[in-house]
């Protein structure tokens, strides 16, 4: 090994879902929304003046912060924005998980958490979900350096009711508790409702799923002014201009159309509930997901075989090759037509 090679930071990266290119694909592997963003977003994109690109964007992304605060009934200083919720979560790990004690997150969860923990040198422990893939809140009662979990969880889609979220918060008032709500708009109550009671709570969200804007990269966090200020300080110590100007503008446009937002969600939830019935009729066990995806396993057929058979028909779903998950498939909810193609081809 060369001397300079010894100084390289070695990490095992997160592996994002495949982004296959080409025509005629049915892509249900990365939980994207099958419907377009709100019409106002597409219009704003078309009318965007190239001159805008000449100058640096507002480092505070104030327009977007203000629009989010207004949409969700919060104050501007309770809102932080970033380049997708991955950026916001990474920044939150770096800001709040700075203890020698291990942080806690479930053994089955978003697989980026251990990657950030390793990158930033944060010790962690992973309490096991129960047999039904539910979080056991009592596992989070002990001393720790912080807590993070998605709600609904990924890749199971299982929602922890507010009583459980509050139980975890009540037992963890000396550390920051992060609730990653990437999928909350598809089912369940947001922990946002607890913000005025817990100043150590950070709620993270994204425009990638319910607002159909994964390609624009907008994520956000809600928390007490003290938490938001701490994140801003870390952000400004790292990269002042995380949010590009077109993203800020398009995010503001998306928030203007409440009606489109709720209608799109309703369509996806409706397709999801029908899909649960259809998959069960086809002999699948299907977890009761509150997200925009289903986690399914078949009594007789191996997940890996189904994955490959679907792939040969240009239908992409996600498979996780880890101990408790290897016989499951995660299927993003597509349009009704896309789902019909899945039912026709899955066995
Ligand atoms: N949290 C969870 C639980 C997710 O599944 C994802 C999507 N991969 C994200 C956060 C990040 O999404 P984005 O960066 O597109 O906002």
């Amino acid at each position: 090994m060369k001397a300079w090679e010894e100084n390289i930071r070695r990490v095992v990266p997160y592996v994002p879902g495949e982004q296959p290119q080409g025509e005629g694909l049915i892509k249900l592997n990365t939980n994207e929304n099958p419907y377009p963003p709100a019409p106002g977003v597409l219009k704003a994109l078309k009318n965007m003046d190239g001159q805008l690109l000449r100058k640096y964007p507002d480092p505070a992304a104030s327009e977007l912060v203000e629009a989010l605060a207004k949409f969700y009934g919060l104050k501007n200083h309770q809102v932080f924005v970033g380049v997708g919720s991955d950026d916001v979560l990474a920044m939150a790990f770096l800001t709040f998980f700075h203890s020698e004690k291990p942080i806690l997150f479930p053994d089955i969860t978003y697989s980026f958490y251990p990657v950030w923990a390793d990158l930033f040198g944060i010790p962690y422990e992973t309490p096991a979900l129960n047999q039904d893939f539910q979080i056991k809140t009592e596992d989070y009662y002990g001393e720790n350096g912080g807590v993070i979990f998605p709600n609904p969880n990924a890749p199971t889609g299982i929602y922890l009711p507010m009583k459980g979220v509050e139980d975890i918060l009540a037992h963890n008032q000396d550390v920051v508790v992060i609730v990653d709500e990437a999928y909350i708009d598809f089912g369940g109550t947001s922990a946002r409702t607890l913000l005025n009671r817990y100043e150590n709570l950070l709620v993270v969200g994204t425009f990638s799923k319910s607002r159909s804007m994964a390609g624009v990269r907008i994520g956000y966090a809600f928390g007490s002014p003290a938490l938001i200020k701490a994140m801003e300080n870390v952000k400004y110590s790292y990269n002042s201009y995380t949010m590009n100007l077109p993203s800020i503008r398009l995010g503001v446009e998306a928030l203007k159309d409440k009606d489109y937002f709720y209608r799109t969600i309703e369509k996806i939830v409706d397709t999801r509930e029908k899909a649960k019935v259809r998959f069960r009729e086809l002999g699948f066990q299907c977890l009761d997901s509150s997200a925009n995806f289903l986690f399914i396993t078949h009594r007789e057929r191996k997940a890996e075989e189904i994955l490959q058979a679907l792939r040969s028909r240009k239908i992409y779903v996600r498979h996780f090759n880890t101990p408790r998950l290897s016989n499951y498939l995660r299927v993003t909810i597509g349009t009704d037509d896309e789902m019909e193609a899945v039912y026709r081809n899955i066995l």
Side-chain angles (χ1 to χ4, degrees):
M1 198 189 269
K2 306 234 172 63
W4 56 267
E5 284 181 300
E6 283 169 31
N7 295 333
I8 290 178
R9 187 187 301 276
R10 285 175 212 284
V11 287
V12 181
Y14 168 74
V15 183
E18 198 180 343
Q19 293 295 340
Q21 305 296 322
E23 297 289 302
L25 301 175
I26 296 186
K27 190 176 172 304
L28 304 175
N29 67 332
T30 50
N31 298 341
E32 286 135 339
N33 195 311
Y35 302 107
V41 174
L42 301 177
K43 200 166 149 217
L45 182 64
K46 239 187 182 157
N47 295 340
M48 217 166 258
D49 178 357
Q51 277 295 330
L52 286 176
L53 305 183
R54 200 174 52 78
K55 292 199 261 170
Y56 284 105
D58 168 16
S62 312
E63 270 183 84
L64 182 58
V65 164
E66 203 169 314
L68 271 163
K70 195 163 151 231
F71 191 95
Y72 289 105
L74 299 166
K75 299 269 191 308
N76 294 359
H77 58 247
Q78 290 178 289
V79 180
F80 177 89
V81 293
V83 187
S85 55
D86 280 342
D87 179 47
V88 175
L89 288 165
M91 211 75 81
F93 268 63
L94 193 54
T95 310
F96 302 120
F97 296 158
H98 191 47
S99 160
E100 314 239 294
K101 293 176 200 153
I103 62 163
L104 305 178
F105 51 82
D107 64 336
I108 294 170
T109 195
Y110 186 27
S111 46
F112 221 139
Y113 299 163
V115 175
W116 285 314
D118 287 337
L119 176 63
F120 299 135
I122 303 163
Y124 61 92
E125 281 172 11
T126 57
L129 297 179
N130 74 12
Q131 282 293 91
D132 299 323
F133 293 105
Q134 284 157 339
I135 288 178
K136 293 182 280 169
T137 57
E138 61 273 22
D139 289 348
Y140 296 80
Y141 289 177
E143 253 189 70
N144 61 68
V147 175
I148 178 162
F149 58 93
N151 201 28
N153 198 5
T156 60
I158 303 282
Y159 172 70
L160 175 67
M162 224 16 61
K163 208 168 129 235
V165 175
E166 189 152 16
D167 187 35
I168 291 177
L169 273 161
H171 285 89
N172 286 283
Q173 308 224 24
D174 295 336
V175 293
V176 172
V177 176
I178 303 176
V179 185
D180 174 359
E181 294 191 346
Y183 303 103
I184 195 68
D185 296 324
F186 302 104
T189 306
S190 169
R192 203 171 56 244
T193 53
L194 302 173
L195 282 173
N196 50 11
R197 306 223 311 275
Y198 295 93
E199 62 176 8
N200 59 325
L201 165 65
L202 193 81
V203 179
V204 176
T206 178
F207 281 42
S208 297
K209 323 288 178 180
S210 53
R211 295 189 189 273
S212 313
M213 292 169 74
V216 184
R217 311 305 299 131
I218 300 175
Y220 54 87
F222 301 143
S224 59
L227 293 195
I228 298 305
K229 181 77 191 140
M231 283 186 81
E232 280 170 358
N233 286 344
V234 168
K235 173 192 141 168
Y236 291 127
S237 308
Y238 184 75
N239 176 3
S240 317
Y241 306 106
T242 52
M243 302 292 293
N244 68 66
L245 195 134
S247 294
I248 295 171
R249 290 280 162 91
L250 299 178
V252 170
E253 286 303 323
L255 290 162
K256 286 182 185 164
D257 199 339
K258 265 197 183 162
D259 193 50
Y260 182 86
F261 176 58
Y262 291 119
R263 260 190 296 131
T264 308
I265 290 169
E266 204 178 299
K267 277 202 277 188
I268 291 171
V269 170
D270 179 63
T271 306
R272 179 189 73 205
E273 293 307 307
K274 286 192 284 194
K276 286 179 186 171
V277 177
R278 294 292 292 274
F279 280 128
R280 285 172 188 148
E281 282 170 2
L282 288 167
F284 285 89
Q285 203 188 331
C286 171
L287 300 192
D288 194 20
S289 167
S290 297
N292 68 334
F293 55 83
L294 292 177
F295 207 48
I296 61 174
T297 182
H298 198 269
R299 290 194 205 97
E300 287 137 31
R301 297 273 315 276
K302 281 214 175 87
E304 182 87 48
E305 278 169 30
I306 300 176
L307 177 84
Q308 294 311 337
L310 284 176
R311 206 186 151 96
S312 70
R313 290 165 198 157
K314 293 192 176 179
I315 300 175
Y316 290 78
V317 299
R318 188 93 190 252
H319 179 243
F320 298 90
N321 211 358
T322 52
R324 267 173 88 188
L325 308 185
S326 61
N327 211 28
Y328 281 82
L329 293 171
R330 192 194 67 188
V331 183
T332 303
I333 302 299
T335 60
D336 285 323
D337 284 350
E338 286 174 324
M339 297 311 288
E340 287 298 331
V342 173
Y343 311 139
R344 276 198 307 277
N345 288 289
I346 200 161
L347 289 179

